[in-house]
Amino acid sequence: MVNYVKTGNLQVAKELYDFVSLEALPETGLDSETFWVDLGKLVSDLAPKNKALLVKRDEFQKQIDAWHKENNAFDFEVYKAFLKKIGYLEPQVEDFSITAENIDDVITHQAGPQLVVPIDNSRYAINAANARWGSLYDALYGTDAISEEGGAEKKNSYNPVRGGKVIAFAKNFLDEHVPLKVSSHTEAIKYAIINGKLEVTLKNGETTELKDASLFAGYQGQAEEPEAVLLKNNGLHFEIQIDRDHPIGKTDEAGVKDVFLESATSSIMDCEDSVAAVDAEDKTLVYRNWLGLNRGDLTSVFTKNGKEITRTLNPDRTYTGPNGEEVTLSGRVLMFIRNVGHLMTNNAILDESGQEIPEGIMDGVFTSLMAKHGLLGNGPYQNSQKGSVYIVKPKMHGSKEAAFANELFNRVEDMLDMERNTLKIGVMDEERRTSLNLKNSINEVKERIVFINTGFLDRTGDEIHTSMEAGPMIRKGGMKSSTWLNGYEKNNVRVGLNTGLKGKAQIGKGMWAMPDLMADMLEQKVGHLKAGGNTAWVPSPTAATLHALHYHEIDVRKVQEELAKETKDYRDEILQIPVAENTNWSAEEIQEELDNSAQTLLGYVVRWVEQGVGCSKVPDINNVALMEDRATLRISSQMITNWLHHGICTEKQTLDTLKRMAKIVDDQNAGDELYRPMASNFNDSIAFQAACDLVFKGKEQPSGYTEPILHRRRLEAKEKYRTGKATNLRS
């Protein structure tokens, strides 16, 4: 049972109340009693509006379902006219340009990778915050970015053959992006700073300079014998690190021990899809970690290789500039915080009627409160140099919901004594209504918007659910080449550029989900830059370092300049429903699709429900590790639900598949001491029952979201393992 504290017209779980009152509110200039009264008023005013928006979602879904049932002979123009008539497809607003101000340079001037990390894990959060800089040598040596052919295998001890390949790669990187006037960096035997310029001595005794002297940005150590040479290309910095006594530096004629890259320029500290936060205990942990990041005092203690390690935030990096001036660069990423969407409530706070309040309202207030410590300088570091707080808002449906988020942010600013538009917003374009009405949605937050992006998985899940009655969907593997998806990706960039986001905001692209396949990422993820994204998601600091290479290769500003000339309206393409024209799949093909979706679904759900792990590397059916969160679950569950609904597969076949895949997932997790097998007792496994709910009750889930079922089942699991008995929370 939750122990609540009555404050004003609210009941607040004591754990959360004490944390906010004793840890978060002090040093903010805010009065505790006034804070809770103001929160109660905000909830009273905005919770009904939040609820009305969710009712509208359901109304639209019922109307669309009914239309598809009544119109078996699909006519695109009739369908489009119907969507306009009911208000699902909005009339577009007049042209405009966003007016957000006080935005950090990382957003406006630096294209670069973006890490997304669950904030309930302090170690991961600190790693992400520190991922601003990374070793290129380590990233190459430790991954498949460097082939193991020709004796270059990864071994327990250092392999000089592999090391040689790494060094050759790095020297080639230098030649491509900071070339010398004469010769190559492979011929360098000494780097020195002479009269404010980088001078390089070659093996033949000659000296040379950079072909473009402006790329030299500073150094550390003595000018004649620098410890690090700072260079800059396409807005990103990197260091040539020199240490002739270092094991690697000893082998290099110039003493180069590493090339250290500015890697992830920003990160999203996530309260949403990668987090399993279902009650006051979980939410307090989330908020406490975010407070620690903003105060700069978050630490993580863990044991690695038998040694206890304490991880803290990295300090800034200082250099001597070309003219002798001091140059300071951040040692940490610019942090966004992703709040939850409008859908869920949480028992951490109850309103005057004893009802759970919207979790999105909670996140808006509390994450902004924590961020105020950074604005006030209550710690050694400040996240924003421009006095802004960056909040990503996911899973909004159309402009009315964006307008509600803007109203919420206004009220939070007033409540926390912040200037208007201190709270910046990132609008995730991952729901069909937002994609179709993206321009209108941006217009509603044009004074505070700093980020938009696309998300294939959530967006596909909503695509399937919205058009559930239209027919059986194409297989998942065909979605990425479908008309609607290509139109959606292009539309996001076009609308963003046409509404003035270039030079003012980030236009983001999706996650690379295979953290162990870095060679493939190096080959493929450059496509996100070519498509106009000035940031794209990566699953780890190592991936950020390698993805940063793409931003040296391509100047995204020039790409965006060309793309901004395009004015095509892609909404007709977005409206092309991915219904299969031919459903004559073989029994083997159908079973293959079911196996794939069921296995990945179970592999994720079992960790979420049983262990509270919201994001992790989950082996797929071929044992390829995939970085999964709730978005991957949404597409898998909705895919099976759709095929089940249209008779492509039977209920028995689906249940048999889930049981068979559960055994495979159990085997894949055999080495995890905390793992609870599903197949030993399907009826007793809360995780397995959750997976069945997601599939067999998938059609009735709001927008196909997985959160309602996951939250109920996680609460059930927590109660069972706390008391030794389950409380069945099935609706």
Side-chain angles (χ1 to χ4, degrees):
M1 298 294 292
V2 181
N3 183 15
Y4 288 102
V5 174
K6 182 77 165 64
T7 175
N9 62 355
L10 299 175
Q11 297 178 65
V12 183
K14 189 176 188 303
E15 183 173 8
L16 177 62
Y17 179 85
D18 288 347
F19 162 68
V20 172
S21 299
L22 301 177
E23 298 179 45
L25 280 170
E27 298 185 68
T28 62
L30 300 171
D31 173 71
S32 180
E33 183 177 351
T34 303
F35 172 85
W36 293 112
V37 170
D38 287 348
L39 177 58
K41 181 68 166 63
L42 187 153
V43 169
S44 295
D45 293 345
L46 296 189
K49 295 183 179 183
N50 195 131
K51 185 175 181 179
L53 291 170
L54 301 180
V55 169
K56 190 62 179 177
R57 291 184 189 179
D58 292 341
E59 289 175 354
F60 276 140
Q61 188 61 58
K62 289 176 183 176
Q63 289 173 298
I64 292 171
D65 284 346
W67 188 92
H68 283 301
K69 289 178 181 178
E70 295 165 5
N71 292 268
N72 292 327
F74 183 82
D75 184 304
F76 177 77
E77 292 302 328
V78 174
Y79 174 64
K80 184 177 176 182
F82 157 72
L83 295 179
K84 288 181 177 179
K85 180 180 178 181
I86 65 173
Y88 184 93
L89 184 58
E90 305 171 16
Q92 281 204 338
V93 297
E94 296 293 325
D95 289 346
F96 67 93
S97 186
I98 66 168
T99 57
E101 298 179 343
N102 300 319
I103 308 167
D104 283 84
D105 291 349
V106 168
I107 293 172
T108 58
H109 292 94
Q110 278 191 300
Q114 187 171 65
L115 262 175
V116 185
V117 63
I119 199 171
D120 58 348
N121 187 308
S122 60
R123 179 180 173 185
Y124 293 171
I126 293 170
N127 287 348
N130 289 341
R132 184 64 172 264
W133 295 85
S135 163
L136 179 59
Y137 280 18
D138 286 351
L140 293 169
Y141 190 93
T143 70
D144 70 345
I146 293 294
S147 165
E148 296 192 64
E149 296 177 357
E153 301 89 353
K154 283 180 279 185
K155 302 177 179 178
N156 291 332
S157 58
Y158 178 71
N159 181 350
V161 176
R162 186 168 184 80
K165 282 190 172 186
V166 168
I167 292 168
F169 185 108
K171 293 293 179 76
N172 182 64
F173 166 78
L174 296 176
D175 284 340
E176 284 187 4
H177 303 300
V178 285
L180 304 176
K181 282 185 177 179
V182 176
S183 193
S184 160
H185 286 274
T186 60
E187 297 296 306
I189 61 171
K190 183 178 181 181
Y191 292 92
I193 314 305
I194 308 297
N195 297 323
K197 293 184 179 182
L198 177 61
E199 183 177 276
V200 182
T201 303
L202 304 174
K203 291 178 182 178
N204 62 9
E206 296 181 2
T207 60
T208 187
E209 298 176 351
L210 294 175
K211 188 174 291 185
D212 181 353
S214 68
L215 300 179
F216 171 62
Y219 64 96
Q220 292 176 337
Q222 301 300 313
E224 296 79 10
E225 296 286 345
E227 297 170 5
V229 175
L230 183 68
L231 300 148
K232 186 176 182 180
N233 175 59
N234 288 348
L236 286 177
H237 298 85
F238 57 94
E239 299 174 5
I240 301 174
Q241 296 188 333
I242 302 168
D243 182 353
R244 295 185 183 276
D245 294 325
H246 187 273
I248 301 301
K250 284 180 180 179
T251 68
D252 187 89
E253 292 189 83
V256 175
K257 70 169 184 178
D258 204 346
V259 175
F260 209 57
L261 300 184
E262 191 171 21
S263 300
T265 54
S266 61
S267 76
I268 294 178
M269 302 296 175
D270 192 19
C271 304
E272 197 230 5
D273 262 5
S274 65
V275 172
V278 299
D279 55 19
E281 176 188 29
D282 298 335
K283 295 301 289 189
T284 301
L285 174 61
V286 162
Y287 297 146
R288 180 173 278 119
N289 284 349
W290 179 232
L291 175 62
L293 287 170
N294 279 278
R295 292 185 63 92
D297 58 7
L298 183 65
T299 61
S300 177
V301 180
F302 57 96
T303 301
K304 188 174 183 179
N305 298 326
K307 182 180 180 182
E308 186 174 275
I309 298 173
T310 299
R311 191 150 289 169
T312 60
L313 294 178
N314 286 341
D316 291 336
R317 306 179 72 81
T318 58
Y319 309 85
T320 302
N323 298 319
E325 75 281 15
E326 184 176 278
V327 175
T328 301
L329 298 178
S330 179
R332 301 158 310 285
V333 301
L334 180 73
M335 296 183 295
F336 288 69
I337 181 78
R338 180 162 67 169
N339 289 185
V340 303
H342 298 323
L343 176 67
M344 297 301 293
T345 60
N346 192 288
N347 69 4
I349 301 179
L350 308 181
D351 66 15
E352 55 192 343
S353 302
Q355 300 298 308
E356 296 180 1
I357 75 166
E359 190 178 356
I361 291 178
M362 282 177 50
D363 273 2
V365 172
F366 291 127
T367 60
S368 299
L369 172 63
M370 311 310 151
K372 186 169 184 179
H373 286 270
L375 299 180
L376 294 173
N378 295 339
Y381 312 120
Q382 284 186 281
N383 182 48
S384 171
Q385 303 303 308
K386 298 293 183 70
S388 289
V389 177
Y390 299 102
I391 300 176
V392 175
K393 195 68 180 176
K395 295 181 171 61
M396 294 192 291
H397 293 236
S399 67
K400 297 296 188 297
E401 296 196 11
F404 174 75
N406 193 63
E407 181 180 6
L408 171 62
F409 284 19
N410 284 341
R411 289 291 299 271
V412 172
E413 287 165 345
D414 294 342
M415 179 180 167
L416 301 183
D417 194 24
M418 293 176 172
E419 293 184 6
R420 181 63 74 236
N421 297 322
T422 294
L423 303 180
K424 302 301 191 291
I425 194 168
V427 174
M428 296 190 65
D429 177 6
E430 56 187 353
E431 308 297 326
R432 196 169 186 252
R433 257 175 75 202
T434 296
S435 300
L436 291 167
N437 304 297
L438 183 58
K439 184 178 181 181
N440 292 19
S441 299
I442 293 173
N443 184 56
E444 293 292 347
V445 290
K446 63 185 175 185
E447 295 182 343
R448 62 172 86 242
I449 191 165
V450 294
F451 169 90
I452 61 172
N453 80 330
T454 53
F456 163 72
L457 294 166
D458 258 314
R459 181 63 181 80
T460 303
D462 192 51
E463 185 72 21
I464 296 170
H465 188 86
T466 302
S467 302
M468 183 67 70
E469 296 292 350
M473 296 294 160
I474 61 176
R475 297 180 66 179
K476 281 195 300 185
M479 284 290 183
K480 289 196 173 183
S481 59
S482 60
T483 300
W484 78 266
L485 184 66
N486 289 318
Y488 155 68
E489 291 284 357
K490 291 178 181 178
N491 184 73
N492 179 272
V493 174
R494 184 196 66 79
V495 173
L497 294 175
N498 291 166
T499 54
L501 269 64
K502 180 180 177 296
K504 293 183 179 180
Q506 289 181 327
I507 298 177
K509 292 295 180 183
M511 177 67 77
W512 179 263
M514 297 164 283
D516 296 332
L517 302 183
M518 291 293 97
D520 289 344
M521 188 194 76
L522 281 175
E523 180 181 344
Q524 298 174 35
K525 199 167 174 65
V526 68
H528 283 159
L529 285 73
K530 294 178 179 179
N534 56 357
T535 193
W537 287 0
V538 289
S540 68
T542 295
T545 297
L546 294 173
H547 184 39
L549 297 173
H550 294 139
Y551 295 87
H552 288 284
E553 179 183 339
I554 291 178
D555 187 343
V556 182
R557 294 168 298 182
K558 293 180 179 178
V559 174
Q560 289 188 344
E561 284 175 8
E562 289 302 310
L563 292 175
K565 299 173 184 177
E566 184 182 356
T567 59
K568 181 179 177 179
D569 187 338
Y570 285 97
R571 286 179 297 170
D572 280 359
E573 281 90 337
I574 294 173
L575 283 170
Q576 301 300 314
I577 303 171
V579 173
E581 295 181 4
N582 185 347
T583 58
N584 292 327
W585 294 300
S586 68
E588 291 77 13
E589 289 173 320
I590 293 170
Q591 191 59 58
E592 180 184 49
E593 192 72 29
L594 288 177
D595 286 354
N596 180 284
S597 291
Q599 185 276 337
T600 189
L601 182 155
L602 286 158
Y604 178 74
V605 169
V606 69
R607 296 183 185 186
W608 209 103
V609 170
E610 302 282 356
Q611 298 181 31
V613 177
C615 180
S616 62
K617 286 200 297 185
V618 177
D620 70 5
I621 199 166
N622 299 309
N623 283 313
V624 175
L626 301 178
M627 189 62 72
E628 297 202 357
D629 64 10
R630 283 202 303 261
T632 56
L633 179 61
R634 189 180 182 193
I635 185 176
S636 295
S637 59
Q638 286 297 295
M639 190 72 216
I640 300 176
T641 297
N642 174 264
W643 276 22
L644 190 60
H645 181 61
H646 290 284
I648 303 300
C649 53
T650 66
E651 186 168 327
K652 181 183 184 302
Q653 179 184 14
T654 302
L655 182 58
D656 288 346
T657 300
L658 287 166
K659 289 181 175 180
R660 187 161 41 82
M661 290 300 111
K663 294 177 182 178
I664 290 176
V665 171
D666 286 350
D667 290 342
Q668 290 175 324
N669 287 275
D672 183 353
E673 294 180 357
L674 300 177
Y675 185 81
R676 297 181 178 92
M678 295 177 283
S680 56
N681 189 334
F682 292 119
N683 292 329
D684 190 54
S685 171
I686 299 176
F688 185 78
Q689 296 303 316
C692 290
D693 287 347
L694 287 163
V695 170
F696 296 117
K697 298 180 180 180
K699 186 176 180 298
E700 64 197 58
Q701 297 310 301
S703 305
Y705 290 130
T706 62
E707 289 93 318
I709 288 171
L710 287 178
H711 279 230
R712 287 198 299 272
R713 290 299 189 173
R714 174 63 182 154
L715 286 167
E716 183 181 350
K718 290 183 81 169
E719 178 68 11
K720 176 179 179 178
Y721 302 127
R722 183 178 66 84
T723 65
K725 60 182 180 179
T727 301
N728 197 308
L729 299 172
R730 274 178 268 183
S731 57

